[in-house]
Amino acid sequence: MSGGGGGPAAGFSYQKFVHFALEQARLRTTLVPHPSQEKFKSVKANENNTIVNALSFNASRIRLLRSLTIEQKNSVQVLDFAGFSEPEYDLPIFCANAFTSPARSIVVLDLNPLYDTTERKDYREKYYKNLMHLIHKYSELLPWGGKITSESLRFFSPVVVWTIFEPTEANHQVLYSAFMDYYKVWLELVDEAVRETSKEKIDLNREAQHKYLTWRAEKDPGYPLLKKLLGESLAKDLVDEFLFEGVSALGTKSFLDYFPEYTRDDGTVNKKRSMIGKSFETRPWDARGEFVGVAEEG
Ligand code: BLA
């Protein structure tokens, strides 16, 4: 599609997303380098044309704010930006993931819910009822990316931007605009959050975050590319100690404790990403954020 020397994505970089996010955070709070930054900030890929950038911080109410970008000149561009609150808050997780090749960009932008918004109507009302304008604004320009595994869908909110588009300048401008809107909303939620005092509720928040970290550390679609670029051992450290830091410290349950359907006969974890398969050809939430999806076969 791009024919080598600079396709539609040429010259495009996710650095400005990261700059914006850190600048906005610094307008509101003090970012303190996270201990994980030291080990990973100068991580190098084993291909010369690839630049990896890793930054991580904590701040008041924010347990971990971290960013990973991977840039290959005129080729692959990756953004993985996330923010996790301290367990004293039940705040959604800020999640901006984009994988851009000369052929297409695969994007997930969301305030991932800590609790399932279909089962927990109270949680949906608390955080998403007033945010539906976000998806009304972007669902036409960043349309639903097509069938998605039910496993991923469980971690998405009614305002998720799940999309695949041609990596043109115009599309990336829309994505940047959406990123800014979603991120500013998340920072506002952080500012307004009320500290939980009940130990039981804090424990539940911590476990919900741990379950999310455990899922992503095991099944993230970016993992194979990280292994290729960094080697198996460094990729694993990056995933466990940087991207999904907390996976070893926030809880003691294992992947199979949370997701027993992945247990193989010999007791190991099934390598498949999805046991249920892909479904949901169209956005499975209505305009009010109510789940209306019907899983089809295949
Ligand atoms: C593909 N990445 C995908 C897809 C999703 C996501 C939904 C489509 C494939 C699928 O249906 O599974 C992202 N999935 C997510 C996110 C969550 C989730 C964010 O469940 C959160 C709960 N993507 C990255 C990074 C890399 C990356 C950092 O975010 C590389 C380092 C690569 N993503 C990547 C690639 C594909 C992909 C190569 C296409 C190949 C594939 O589908 O395996």
Side-chain angles (χ1 to χ4, degrees):
M1 180 173 227
S2 75
F12 173 78
S13 163
Y14 285 112
Q15 287 306 328
K16 72 171 180 184
F17 289 57
V18 177
H19 289 157
F20 172 83
L22 297 183
E23 190 177 273
Q24 287 294 308
R26 286 191 174 111
L27 290 173
R28 293 165 180 261
T29 186
T30 305
L31 294 183
V32 180
H34 188 277
S36 66
Q37 186 166 269
E38 206 41 49
K39 175 168 174 185
F40 296 101
K41 71 171 186 233
S42 40
V43 70
K44 294 233 170 1
N46 49 28
E47 290 171 28
N48 280 330
N49 65 343
T50 306
I51 301 170
V52 182
N53 252 298
L55 291 171
S56 57
F57 304 91
N58 51 55
S60 170
R61 301 164 175 216
I62 301 177
R63 185 183 71 75
L64 175 64
L65 185 72
R66 83 335 177 244
S67 156
L68 178 77
T69 56
I70 301 173
E71 300 181 280
Q72 295 180 322
K73 206 165 188 319
N74 296 333
S75 177
V76 166
Q77 309 287 326
V78 171
L79 172 72
D80 185 341
F81 194 102
F84 302 89
S85 70
E86 290 171 345
E88 283 75 15
Y89 304 89
D90 66 357
L91 284 162
I93 295 160
F94 180 77
C95 164
N97 278 71
F99 170 84
T100 295
S101 71
R104 59 192 182 146
S105 292
I106 304 175
V107 173
V108 174
L109 172 66
D110 194 20
L111 308 177
N112 287 155
L114 210 53
Y115 299 103
D116 187 306
T117 57
T118 307
E119 287 163 20
R120 288 279 307 273
K121 204 158 180 270
D122 60 317
Y123 191 80
R124 191 176 87 215
E125 297 272 308
K126 180 172 179 181
Y127 285 115
Y128 299 101
K129 195 175 150 202
N130 298 322
L131 296 182
M132 293 310 294
H133 63 276
L134 285 173
I135 199 62
H136 299 157
K137 181 169 171 189
Y138 288 107
S139 62
E140 263 179 54
L141 289 169
L142 300 171
W144 188 250
K147 286 189 178 178
I148 180 97
T149 68
S150 306
E151 285 88 350
S152 285
L153 201 72
R154 276 194 310 225
F155 294 102
F156 293 173
S157 86
V159 301
V160 68
V161 172
W162 148 241
T163 193
I164 299 181
F165 56 67
E166 207 187 319
T168 61
E169 178 89 38
N171 283 336
H172 279 115
Q173 196 50 45
V174 176
L175 180 62
Y176 184 48
S177 164
F179 176 88
M180 292 191 286
D181 283 352
Y182 277 64
Y183 185 70
K184 281 188 282 188
V185 161
W186 185 73
L187 286 181
E188 273 160 31
L189 294 178
V190 171
D191 272 355
E192 292 159 9
V194 179
R195 193 182 178 89
E196 187 57 67
T197 50
S198 137
K199 181 177 179 309
E200 288 74 25
K201 288 197 174 149
I202 296 171
D203 287 346
L204 287 173
N205 291 342
R206 188 183 298 104
E207 175 159 305
Q209 201 178 122
H210 185 247
K211 182 177 182 183
Y212 177 94
L213 294 165
T214 303
W215 169 259
R216 294 202 58 191
E218 182 75 33
K219 295 292 179 194
D220 213 60
Y223 209 163
L225 181 66
L226 293 176
K227 282 187 198 160
K228 179 170 161 261
L229 290 174
L230 306 174
E232 181 121 24
S233 151
L234 187 54
K236 180 156 182 31
D237 288 355
L238 185 78
V239 162
D240 291 350
E241 300 169 28
F242 181 84
L243 290 177
F244 307 114
E245 194 277 335
V247 69
S248 321
L250 289 192
T252 53
K253 284 195 186 167
S254 70
F255 181 85
L256 291 177
D257 290 335
Y258 290 125
F259 310 101
E261 64 278 18
Y262 284 83
T263 313
R264 283 196 299 211
D265 288 346
D266 64 357
T268 58
V269 175
N270 194 316
K271 294 291 168 211
K272 276 174 38 178
R273 192 146 81 225
S274 172
M275 303 306 289
I276 313 174
K278 290 193 178 188
S279 210
F280 308 108
E281 189 85 58
T282 54
R283 170 172 283 280
W285 292 274
D286 71 11
R288 288 178 299 124
E290 196 113 15
F291 192 77
V292 291
V294 183
E296 324 99 55
E297 280 298 307

